[in-house]
PDB file of all heavy atoms in Angstrom:
ATOM      1  N   GLY A  97       0.795  -1.195   0.000  1.00  0.00           N
ATOM      2  CA  GLY A  97      -0.030  -0.036  -0.047  1.00  0.00           C
ATOM      3  C   GLY A  97       0.857   1.241  -0.005  1.00  0.00           C
ATOM      4  O   GLY A  97       0.551   2.218  -0.717  1.00  0.00           O
ATOM      5  N   LEU A  98       1.897   1.241   0.774  1.00  0.00           N
ATOM      6  CA  LEU A  98       2.813   2.371   0.819  1.00  0.00           C
ATOM      7  C   LEU A  98       3.498   2.557  -0.556  1.00  0.00           C
ATOM      8  O   LEU A  98       3.603   3.723  -1.004  1.00  0.00           O
ATOM      9  CB  LEU A  98       3.829   2.158   1.936  1.00  0.00           C
ATOM     10  CG  LEU A  98       4.891   3.238   2.125  1.00  0.00           C
ATOM     11  CD1 LEU A  98       4.184   4.629   2.345  1.00  0.00           C
ATOM     12  CD2 LEU A  98       5.830   2.941   3.314  1.00  0.00           C
ATOM     13  N   VAL A  99       3.975   1.501  -1.117  1.00  0.00           N
ATOM     14  CA  VAL A  99       4.594   1.639  -2.462  1.00  0.00           C
ATOM     15  C   VAL A  99       3.572   2.111  -3.525  1.00  0.00           C
ATOM     16  O   VAL A  99       3.926   3.000  -4.290  1.00  0.00           O
ATOM     17  CB  VAL A  99       5.132   0.226  -2.842  1.00  0.00           C
ATOM     18  CG1 VAL A  99       5.596   0.272  -4.336  1.00  0.00           C
ATOM     19  CG2 VAL A  99       6.316  -0.126  -1.999  1.00  0.00           C
ATOM     20  N   SER A 100       2.326   1.664  -3.458  1.00  0.00           N
ATOM     21  CA  SER A 100       1.327   2.117  -4.382  1.00  0.00           C
ATOM     22  C   SER A 100       1.074   3.597  -4.200  1.00  0.00           C
ATOM     23  O   SER A 100       0.952   4.360  -5.182  1.00  0.00           O
ATOM     24  CB  SER A 100       0.026   1.352  -4.176  1.00  0.00           C
ATOM     25  OG  SER A 100       0.280  -0.070  -4.526  1.00  0.00           O
ATOM     26  N   ALA A 101       1.026   4.057  -2.988  1.00  0.00           N
ATOM     27  CA  ALA A 101       0.828   5.451  -2.661  1.00  0.00           C
ATOM     28  C   ALA A 101       1.921   6.291  -3.192  1.00  0.00           C
ATOM     29  O   ALA A 101       1.688   7.383  -3.794  1.00  0.00           O
ATOM     30  CB  ALA A 101       0.681   5.672  -1.130  1.00  0.00           C
ATOM     31  N   LEU A 102       3.190   5.836  -3.049  1.00  0.00           N
ATOM     32  CA  LEU A 102       4.276   6.584  -3.513  1.00  0.00           C
ATOM     33  C   LEU A 102       4.324   6.663  -5.070  1.00  0.00           C
ATOM     34  O   LEU A 102       4.638   7.665  -5.673  1.00  0.00           O
ATOM     35  CB  LEU A 102       5.593   5.920  -3.062  1.00  0.00           C
ATOM     36  CG  LEU A 102       5.988   6.252  -1.611  1.00  0.00           C
ATOM     37  CD1 LEU A 102       7.107   5.289  -1.100  1.00  0.00           C
ATOM     38  CD2 LEU A 102       6.474   7.727  -1.512  1.00  0.00           C
ATOM     39  N   LEU A 103       3.983   5.541  -5.683  1.00  0.00           N
ATOM     40  CA  LEU A 103       3.868   5.523  -7.174  1.00  0.00           C
ATOM     41  C   LEU A 103       2.835   6.584  -7.637  1.00  0.00           C
ATOM     42  O   LEU A 103       3.100   7.328  -8.631  1.00  0.00           O
ATOM     43  CB  LEU A 103       3.578   4.145  -7.671  1.00  0.00           C
ATOM     44  CG  LEU A 103       4.671   3.135  -7.600  1.00  0.00           C
ATOM     45  CD1 LEU A 103       4.155   1.702  -7.882  1.00  0.00           C
ATOM     46  CD2 LEU A 103       5.730   3.512  -8.560  1.00  0.00           C
ATOM     47  N   ALA A 104       1.709   6.617  -7.018  1.00  0.00           N
ATOM     48  CA  ALA A 104       0.674   7.528  -7.349  1.00  0.00           C
ATOM     49  C   ALA A 104       1.124   8.991  -7.149  1.00  0.00           C
ATOM     50  O   ALA A 104       0.875   9.858  -7.981  1.00  0.00           O
ATOM     51  CB  ALA A 104      -0.598   7.295  -6.573  1.00  0.00           C
ATOM     52  N   LEU A 105       1.818   9.208  -6.034  1.00  0.00           N
ATOM     53  CA  LEU A 105       2.374  10.514  -5.684  1.00  0.00           C
ATOM     54  C   LEU A 105       3.403  10.983  -6.809  1.00  0.00           C
ATOM     55  O   LEU A 105       3.300  12.096  -7.270  1.00  0.00           O
ATOM     56  CB  LEU A 105       3.013  10.464  -4.338  1.00  0.00           C
ATOM     57  CG  LEU A 105       3.697  11.786  -3.875  1.00  0.00           C
ATOM     58  CD1 LEU A 105       2.603  12.875  -3.711  1.00  0.00           C
ATOM     59  CD2 LEU A 105       4.407  11.578  -2.551  1.00  0.00           C
ATOM     60  N   GLN A 106       4.287  10.031  -7.125  1.00  0.00           N
ATOM     61  CA  GLN A 106       5.275  10.354  -8.146  1.00  0.00           C
ATOM     62  C   GLN A 106       4.602  10.659  -9.517  1.00  0.00           C
ATOM     63  O   GLN A 106       5.039  11.510 -10.248  1.00  0.00           O
ATOM     64  CB  GLN A 106       6.275   9.263  -8.296  1.00  0.00           C
ATOM     65  CG  GLN A 106       7.251   9.201  -6.988  1.00  0.00           C
ATOM     66  CD  GLN A 106       8.410   8.252  -7.279  1.00  0.00           C
ATOM     67  OE1 GLN A 106       8.512   7.576  -8.256  1.00  0.00           O
ATOM     68  NE2 GLN A 106       9.323   8.308  -6.331  1.00  0.00           N
ATOM     69  N   ALA A 107       3.576   9.890  -9.794  1.00  0.00           N
ATOM     70  CA  ALA A 107       2.927  10.085 -11.132  1.00  0.00           C
ATOM     71  C   ALA A 107       2.410  11.444 -11.295  1.00  0.00           C
ATOM     72  O   ALA A 107       2.356  12.024 -12.367  1.00  0.00           O
ATOM     73  CB  ALA A 107       1.882   8.984 -11.317  1.00  0.00           C
ATOM     74  N   GLY A 108       1.880  12.027 -10.176  1.00  0.00           N
ATOM     75  CA  GLY A 108       1.280  13.320 -10.207  1.00  0.00           C
ATOM     76  C   GLY A 108       2.154  14.474  -9.851  1.00  0.00           C
ATOM     77  O   GLY A 108       1.743  15.622  -9.845  1.00  0.00           O
ATOM     78  N   ALA A 109       3.446  14.162  -9.543  1.00  0.00           N
ATOM     79  CA  ALA A 109       4.340  15.187  -9.081  1.00  0.00           C
ATOM     80  C   ALA A 109       5.015  15.912 -10.247  1.00  0.00           C
ATOM     81  O   ALA A 109       5.069  15.363 -11.384  1.00  0.00           O
ATOM     82  CB  ALA A 109       5.425  14.560  -8.166  1.00  0.00           C
ATOM     83  N   SER A 110       5.490  17.106 -10.033  1.00  0.00           N
ATOM     84  CA  SER A 110       6.285  17.805 -10.987  1.00  0.00           C
ATOM     85  C   SER A 110       7.645  17.158 -11.133  1.00  0.00           C
ATOM     86  O   SER A 110       8.124  16.454 -10.289  1.00  0.00           O
ATOM     87  CB  SER A 110       6.428  19.259 -10.617  1.00  0.00           C
ATOM     88  OG  SER A 110       7.272  19.356  -9.426  1.00  0.00           O
ATOM     89  N   ALA A 111       8.234  17.433 -12.282  1.00  0.00           N
ATOM     90  CA  ALA A 111       9.601  16.838 -12.539  1.00  0.00           C
ATOM     91  C   ALA A 111      10.616  17.241 -11.492  1.00  0.00           C
ATOM     92  O   ALA A 111      11.394  16.423 -11.088  1.00  0.00           O
ATOM     93  CB  ALA A 111      10.066  17.284 -13.910  1.00  0.00           C
ATOM     94  N   SER A 112      10.528  18.461 -11.059  1.00  0.00           N
ATOM     95  CA  SER A 112      11.520  18.947 -10.073  1.00  0.00           C
ATOM     96  C   SER A 112      11.371  18.246  -8.698  1.00  0.00           C
ATOM     97  O   SER A 112      12.323  17.974  -8.026  1.00  0.00           O
ATOM     98  CB  SER A 112      11.420  20.439  -9.904  1.00  0.00           C
ATOM     99  OG  SER A 112      10.091  20.830  -9.400  1.00  0.00           O
ATOM    100  N   SER A 113      10.128  17.957  -8.359  1.00  0.00           N
ATOM    101  CA  SER A 113       9.935  17.329  -7.027  1.00  0.00           C
ATOM    102  C   SER A 113      10.414  15.885  -7.008  1.00  0.00           C
ATOM    103  O   SER A 113      10.664  15.309  -5.955  1.00  0.00           O
ATOM    104  CB  SER A 113       8.439  17.407  -6.675  1.00  0.00           C
ATOM    105  OG  SER A 113       7.650  16.592  -7.493  1.00  0.00           O
ATOM    106  N   LEU A 114      10.424  15.273  -8.113  1.00  0.00           N
ATOM    107  CA  LEU A 114      10.934  13.856  -8.225  1.00  0.00           C
ATOM    108  C   LEU A 114      12.336  13.756  -7.821  1.00  0.00           C
ATOM    109  O   LEU A 114      12.841  12.718  -7.399  1.00  0.00           O
ATOM    110  CB  LEU A 114      10.699  13.313  -9.662  1.00  0.00           C
ATOM    111  CG  LEU A 114       9.277  13.112 -10.133  1.00  0.00           C
ATOM    112  CD1 LEU A 114       9.252  12.554 -11.520  1.00  0.00           C
ATOM    113  CD2 LEU A 114       8.484  12.250  -9.144  1.00  0.00           C
ATOM    114  N   PHE A 115      13.176  14.818  -7.885  1.00  0.00           N
ATOM    115  CA  PHE A 115      14.548  14.825  -7.641  1.00  0.00           C
ATOM    116  C   PHE A 115      14.786  15.453  -6.290  1.00  0.00           C
ATOM    117  O   PHE A 115      15.924  15.887  -5.932  1.00  0.00           O
ATOM    118  CB  PHE A 115      15.338  15.527  -8.672  1.00  0.00           C
ATOM    119  CG  PHE A 115      15.199  14.846 -10.068  1.00  0.00           C
ATOM    120  CD1 PHE A 115      14.298  15.246 -10.947  1.00  0.00           C
ATOM    121  CD2 PHE A 115      16.008  13.746 -10.311  1.00  0.00           C
ATOM    122  CE1 PHE A 115      14.135  14.552 -12.158  1.00  0.00           C
ATOM    123  CE2 PHE A 115      15.931  13.027 -11.538  1.00  0.00           C
ATOM    124  CZ  PHE A 115      14.921  13.484 -12.477  1.00  0.00           C
ATOM    125  N   SER A 116      13.814  15.510  -5.358  1.00  0.00           N
ATOM    126  CA  SER A 116      14.026  16.077  -4.061  1.00  0.00           C
ATOM    127  C   SER A 116      13.763  15.012  -2.966  1.00  0.00           C
ATOM    128  O   SER A 116      13.292  15.321  -1.884  1.00  0.00           O
ATOM    129  CB  SER A 116      13.077  17.232  -3.871  1.00  0.00           C
ATOM    130  OG  SER A 116      11.728  16.830  -3.988  1.00  0.00           O
ATOM    131  N   LEU A 117      14.177  13.784  -3.308  1.00  0.00           N
ATOM    132  CA  LEU A 117      14.063  12.745  -2.271  1.00  0.00           C
ATOM    133  C   LEU A 117      15.059  13.036  -1.122  1.00  0.00           C
ATOM    134  O   LEU A 117      16.113  13.558  -1.356  1.00  0.00           O
ATOM    135  CB  LEU A 117      14.393  11.411  -2.891  1.00  0.00           C
ATOM    136  CG  LEU A 117      13.514  10.919  -4.027  1.00  0.00           C
ATOM    137  CD1 LEU A 117      14.033   9.596  -4.548  1.00  0.00           C
ATOM    138  CD2 LEU A 117      12.090  10.736  -3.545  1.00  0.00           C
ATOM    139  N   PRO A 118      14.717  12.664   0.106  1.00  0.00           N
ATOM    140  CA  PRO A 118      15.578  12.913   1.186  1.00  0.00           C
ATOM    141  C   PRO A 118      16.923  12.177   1.050  1.00  0.00           C
ATOM    142  O   PRO A 118      16.980  11.009   0.572  1.00  0.00           O
ATOM    143  CB  PRO A 118      14.815  12.406   2.404  1.00  0.00           C
ATOM    144  CG  PRO A 118      13.826  11.443   1.922  1.00  0.00           C
ATOM    145  CD  PRO A 118      13.490  11.979   0.548  1.00  0.00           C
ATOM    146  N   ARG A 119      18.029  12.770   1.466  1.00  0.00           N
ATOM    147  CA  ARG A 119      19.347  12.192   1.385  1.00  0.00           C
ATOM    148  C   ARG A 119      19.455  11.073   2.422  1.00  0.00           C
ATOM    149  O   ARG A 119      18.738  11.129   3.463  1.00  0.00           O
ATOM    150  CB  ARG A 119      20.451  13.205   1.548  1.00  0.00           C
ATOM    151  CG  ARG A 119      20.528  13.799   2.982  1.00  0.00           C
ATOM    152  CD  ARG A 119      21.723  14.671   3.078  1.00  0.00           C
ATOM    153  NE  ARG A 119      21.828  15.257   4.404  1.00  0.00           N
ATOM    154  CZ  ARG A 119      22.401  14.667   5.470  1.00  0.00           C
ATOM    155  NH1 ARG A 119      22.834  13.449   5.376  1.00  0.00           N
ATOM    156  NH2 ARG A 119      22.453  15.259   6.684  1.00  0.00           N
ATOM    157  N   THR A 120      20.359  10.123   2.132  1.00  0.00           N
ATOM    158  CA  THR A 120      20.531   9.054   3.113  1.00  0.00           C
ATOM    159  C   THR A 120      22.044   8.948   3.482  1.00  0.00           C
ATOM    160  O   THR A 120      22.408   8.241   4.452  1.00  0.00           O
ATOM    161  CB  THR A 120      20.114   7.679   2.563  1.00  0.00           C
ATOM    162  OG1 THR A 120      20.844   7.403   1.361  1.00  0.00           O
ATOM    163  CG2 THR A 120      18.610   7.660   2.316  1.00  0.00           C
ATOM    164  N   TYR A 121      22.936   9.701   2.865  1.00  0.00           N
ATOM    165  CA  TYR A 121      24.365   9.553   3.136  1.00  0.00           C
ATOM    166  C   TYR A 121      24.708  10.258   4.469  1.00  0.00           C
ATOM    167  O   TYR A 121      24.007  11.158   4.911  1.00  0.00           O
ATOM    168  CB  TYR A 121      25.196  10.144   1.994  1.00  0.00           C
ATOM    169  CG  TYR A 121      24.838  11.589   1.615  1.00  0.00           C
ATOM    170  CD1 TYR A 121      25.352  12.643   2.349  1.00  0.00           C
ATOM    171  CD2 TYR A 121      24.024  11.901   0.569  1.00  0.00           C
ATOM    172  CE1 TYR A 121      24.991  13.940   1.993  1.00  0.00           C
ATOM    173  CE2 TYR A 121      23.686  13.179   0.199  1.00  0.00           C
ATOM    174  CZ  TYR A 121      24.210  14.197   0.941  1.00  0.00           C
ATOM    175  OH  TYR A 121      23.879  15.520   0.607  1.00  0.00           O
ATOM    176  N   PRO A 122      25.803   9.763   5.103  1.00  0.00           N
ATOM    177  CA  PRO A 122      26.168  10.335   6.469  1.00  0.00           C
ATOM    178  C   PRO A 122      26.824  11.712   6.267  1.00  0.00           C
ATOM    179  O   PRO A 122      27.194  12.141   5.159  1.00  0.00           O
ATOM    180  CB  PRO A 122      27.103   9.295   7.002  1.00  0.00           C
ATOM    181  CG  PRO A 122      27.747   8.771   5.718  1.00  0.00           C
ATOM    182  CD  PRO A 122      26.636   8.714   4.662  1.00  0.00           C
ATOM    183  N   ASN A 123      27.045  12.323   7.449  1.00  0.00           N
ATOM    184  CA  ASN A 123      27.789  13.622   7.504  1.00  0.00           C
ATOM    185  C   ASN A 123      29.228  13.281   7.890  1.00  0.00           C
ATOM    186  O   ASN A 123      29.486  13.168   9.068  1.00  0.00           O
ATOM    187  CB  ASN A 123      27.143  14.571   8.522  1.00  0.00           C
ATOM    188  CG  ASN A 123      27.799  15.902   8.503  1.00  0.00           C
ATOM    189  OD1 ASN A 123      28.938  16.052   7.989  1.00  0.00           O
ATOM    190  ND2 ASN A 123      27.241  16.928   9.194  1.00  0.00           N
ATOM    191  N   ILE A 124      30.101  13.141   6.850  1.00  0.00           N
ATOM    192  CA  ILE A 124      31.458  12.767   7.173  1.00  0.00           C
ATOM    193  C   ILE A 124      32.470  13.861   6.671  1.00  0.00           C
ATOM    194  O   ILE A 124      33.636  13.594   6.333  1.00  0.00           O
ATOM    195  CB  ILE A 124      31.831  11.454   6.478  1.00  0.00           C
ATOM    196  CG1 ILE A 124      31.460  11.449   4.970  1.00  0.00           C
ATOM    197  CG2 ILE A 124      31.097  10.284   7.139  1.00  0.00           C
ATOM    198  CD1 ILE A 124      31.931  10.196   4.261  1.00  0.00           C
ATOM    199  N   SER A 125      32.035  15.101   6.740  1.00  0.00           N
ATOM    200  CA  SER A 125      32.915  16.146   6.406  1.00  0.00           C
ATOM    201  C   SER A 125      34.146  16.281   7.252  1.00  0.00           C
ATOM    202  O   SER A 125      35.167  16.677   6.798  1.00  0.00           O
ATOM    203  CB  SER A 125      32.119  17.490   6.448  1.00  0.00           C
ATOM    204  OG  SER A 125      31.600  17.746   7.787  1.00  0.00           O
ATOM    205  N   ALA A 126      34.038  15.885   8.498  1.00  0.00           N
ATOM    206  CA  ALA A 126      35.224  15.858   9.369  1.00  0.00           C
ATOM    207  C   ALA A 126      36.289  14.871   8.968  1.00  0.00           C
ATOM    208  O   ALA A 126      37.482  15.025   9.414  1.00  0.00           O
ATOM    209  CB  ALA A 126      34.754  15.651  10.825  1.00  0.00           C
ATOM    210  N   CYS A 127      35.915  13.932   8.142  1.00  0.00           N
ATOM    211  CA  CYS A 127      36.865  12.883   7.794  1.00  0.00           C
ATOM    212  C   CYS A 127      38.043  13.398   6.930  1.00  0.00           C
ATOM    213  O   CYS A 127      39.116  12.770   6.806  1.00  0.00           O
ATOM    214  CB  CYS A 127      36.167  11.759   7.040  1.00  0.00           C
ATOM    215  SG  CYS A 127      34.935  10.912   8.107  1.00  0.00           S
ATOM    216  N   VAL A 128      37.855  14.558   6.299  1.00  0.00           N
ATOM    217  CA  VAL A 128      38.931  15.092   5.462  1.00  0.00           C
ATOM    218  C   VAL A 128      40.181  15.459   6.285  1.00  0.00           C
ATOM    219  O   VAL A 128      41.290  15.544   5.757  1.00  0.00           O
ATOM    220  CB  VAL A 128      38.512  16.325   4.647  1.00  0.00           C
ATOM    221  CG1 VAL A 128      37.355  15.937   3.707  1.00  0.00           C
ATOM    222  CG2 VAL A 128      38.082  17.457   5.564  1.00  0.00           C
ATOM    223  N   ASN A 129      39.974  15.592   7.539  1.00  0.00           N
ATOM    224  CA  ASN A 129      41.090  15.894   8.484  1.00  0.00           C
ATOM    225  C   ASN A 129      41.693  14.748   9.156  1.00  0.00           C
ATOM    226  O   ASN A 129      42.641  14.838  10.017  1.00  0.00           O
ATOM    227  CB  ASN A 129      40.620  16.965   9.530  1.00  0.00           C
ATOM    228  CG  ASN A 129      40.152  18.201   8.927  1.00  0.00           C
ATOM    229  OD1 ASN A 129      40.798  18.772   7.974  1.00  0.00           O
ATOM    230  ND2 ASN A 129      38.992  18.717   9.363  1.00  0.00           N
ATOM    231  N   GLU A 130      41.175  13.494   8.922  1.00  0.00           N
ATOM    232  CA  GLU A 130      41.672  12.321   9.506  1.00  0.00           C
ATOM    233  C   GLU A 130      42.804  11.690   8.743  1.00  0.00           C
ATOM    234  O   GLU A 130      42.858  11.831   7.502  1.00  0.00           O
ATOM    235  CB  GLU A 130      40.530  11.314   9.711  1.00  0.00           C
ATOM    236  CG  GLU A 130      39.416  11.696  10.600  1.00  0.00           C
ATOM    237  CD  GLU A 130      39.919  11.847  12.037  1.00  0.00           C
ATOM    238  OE1 GLU A 130      40.583  10.898  12.511  1.00  0.00           O
ATOM    239  OE2 GLU A 130      39.596  12.887  12.680  1.00  0.00           O
ATOM    240  N   PRO A 131      43.691  10.968   9.421  1.00  0.00           N
ATOM    241  CA  PRO A 131      44.754  10.241   8.688  1.00  0.00           C
ATOM    242  C   PRO A 131      44.194   9.264   7.679  1.00  0.00           C
ATOM    243  O   PRO A 131      43.157   8.681   7.948  1.00  0.00           O
ATOM    244  CB  PRO A 131      45.477   9.506   9.792  1.00  0.00           C
ATOM    245  CG  PRO A 131      45.202  10.285  11.076  1.00  0.00           C
ATOM    246  CD  PRO A 131      43.789  10.792  10.873  1.00  0.00           C
ATOM    247  N   ILE A 132      44.809   9.091   6.495  1.00  0.00           N
ATOM    248  CA  ILE A 132      44.305   8.242   5.459  1.00  0.00           C
ATOM    249  C   ILE A 132      44.996   6.860   5.629  1.00  0.00           C
ATOM    250  O   ILE A 132      46.231   6.804   5.454  1.00  0.00           O
ATOM    251  CB  ILE A 132      44.615   8.794   4.047  1.00  0.00           C
ATOM    252  CG1 ILE A 132      43.891  10.144   3.893  1.00  0.00           C
ATOM    253  CG2 ILE A 132      44.127   7.816   3.012  1.00  0.00           C
ATOM    254  CD1 ILE A 132      44.086  10.826   2.599  1.00  0.00           C
TER     255      ILE A 132
END
């Protein structure tokens, strides 16, 4: 049901909104200062 709802939502969404999915990657900006 959730998948069907998402498909319906995407079908009626604007092109720009399709590319605004929430990010899932971590915040690892501090890693640039760590030893490699």
Side-chain angles (χ1 to χ4, degrees):
L98 180 55
V99 170
S100 297
L102 280 167
L103 286 169
L105 178 63
Q106 288 192 352
S110 66
S112 61
S113 68
L114 294 180
F115 296 96
S116 60
L117 299 177
R119 68 174 179 83
T120 57
Y121 53 82
N123 182 347
I124 52 175
S125 57
C127 296
V128 299
N129 298 316
E130 294 295 312
I132 299 176

